[in-house]
Every structure is written in structure tokens, then in C-alpha cells.
Amino acid sequence: MGGGAVVESEFPLYQWTVSLFYQLFGVREIFGRFLSILASLMMLFYFYRLVLIVSSESTALWSTFVLAVLPLQIFYGRAFIPDMWMMMFTVAGIYYFVR
């Protein structure tokens, strides 16, 4: 084909949403962190529902609790990066596939 460089990246929905908050309220880091926290909570919800399909309510509660307190989950669940949205959409997709 051509000799030009090709850059592949994720669909910038997270970055676009943060930029909307920036336009409305000014540049503040809290908006990116808020979106990551929101995605983290949504991922925990879908994870709970997914485990509930294949196991008991007690197992679903305990496994969701363990996931919620894992150090990497806590770090990425509030970091200003789109990774938590990827995790949320992955768990939600698996949940809807299994359901």
C-alpha cells in the first residue's frame, strides 16, 4: 500500500466526553476521574450480575467485594485513563452474551 505511518488507537469516546465537561465547566482533572469511577462502579455491577448467573448470591457478593478492593482495581478505578471503560464494556458484553 503506502509508505505512510498508521496509528491504531481506541475509539476516543472517553476523551470526547471529558472534553465536553471541559467546555462546560473548564479544565479540571476531576471530570476524567469521575468518569473512571462511574465506569468502575458499572463494571462491578455487571460483574456481580454475571457471577449471579453462574453461582449463588453469596458467591456473587463476595467475589464482587474482592474485586472491588483489589489494589489494581482501586488504582485504575479512579485513574484519568480510558482503561476502566474498556473493562466495563468487556464485562458488560460477557454478561449480555451469557444472559
Side-chain angles (χ1 to χ4, degrees):
M1 307 256 327
V6 176
V7 176
E8 295 182 21
S9 184
E10 72 273 353
F11 185 73
L13 180 63
Y14 176 79
Q15 295 85 341
W16 180 78
T17 308
V18 171
S19 73
L20 287 179
F21 281 113
Y22 281 3
Q23 289 176 0
L24 293 172
F25 305 109
V27 177
R28 295 198 177 90
E29 181 180 328
I30 190 69
F31 301 126
R33 290 185 182 272
F34 169 75
L35 289 173
S36 292
I37 291 168
L38 179 65
S40 177
L41 293 173
M42 290 170 45
M43 188 210 54
L44 290 171
F45 169 76
Y46 280 116
F47 181 78
Y48 169 79
R49 298 290 304 259
L50 179 63
V51 175
L52 195 58
I53 290 173
V54 297
S55 191
S56 68
E57 184 174 1
S58 175
T59 303
L61 285 171
W62 278 107
S63 59
T64 303
F65 170 76
V66 169
L67 176 61
V69 298
L70 286 174
L72 283 176
Q73 173 66 21
I74 293 170
F75 174 78
Y76 286 110
R78 61 180 177 81
F80 193 154
I81 52 177
D83 295 14
M84 190 47 59
W85 281 94
M86 180 267 308
M87 290 298 299
M88 187 274 297
F89 283 124
T90 301
V91 173
I94 293 169
Y95 165 72
Y96 285 115
F97 179 78
V98 170
R99 197 183 102 194

